[in-house]
Structure formats: C-alpha cells, structure tokens
Amino acid sequence: MGLTGFVLAQFLSQGHYVEGGTTQSPDLSFWITAGFVWLPLGAVCLQVFCLLAWPDKK
C-alpha cells in the first residue's frame, strides 16, 4: 500500500496536479485514470499472481 501510494503521488505529479486549484492541467485526467484505476488493478493482479505461486502445504 505504501508503494502504490508513492506511485500514485508520482502519477499526480506527472499530471501537474495542483491541490485546491480551481483549474487543472488537461493531461491530469489521464494520470488520475492511471493512478486510481490501472494502478490498483495492476496491484491486485500482482497479488493474485504471488498467491497462486505460493506452494501448497498438504
């Protein structure tokens, strides 16, 4: 969660997000979509892959 929070902050920085700004950069919508849709989806897929790779103890 800490790593994805850091990456999300970097994404918003790339989109030139201004906290409390009334107008935002036109490129910001791409970075918001990447940070709030694709980043969590990628993290879930990585977690599922790691759990599937975990050996069974039978």
Side-chain angles (χ1 to χ4, degrees):
M1 286 175 41
L3 180 61
T4 55
F6 172 76
V7 173
L8 176 60
Q10 293 302 313
F11 281 0
L12 293 177
S13 176
Q14 283 294 112
H16 304 292
Y17 173 73
V18 178
E19 182 180 353
T22 56
T23 60
Q24 299 291 340
S25 168
D27 297 332
L28 184 62
S29 65
F30 169 79
W31 291 105
I32 287 177
T33 303
F36 288 99
V37 175
W38 300 114
L39 181 65
L41 184 62
V44 167
C45 291
L46 183 63
Q47 290 171 3
V48 167
F49 176 73
C50 289
L51 288 173
L52 288 175
W54 196 270
D56 267 344
K57 292 186 179 184
K58 289 185 178 182

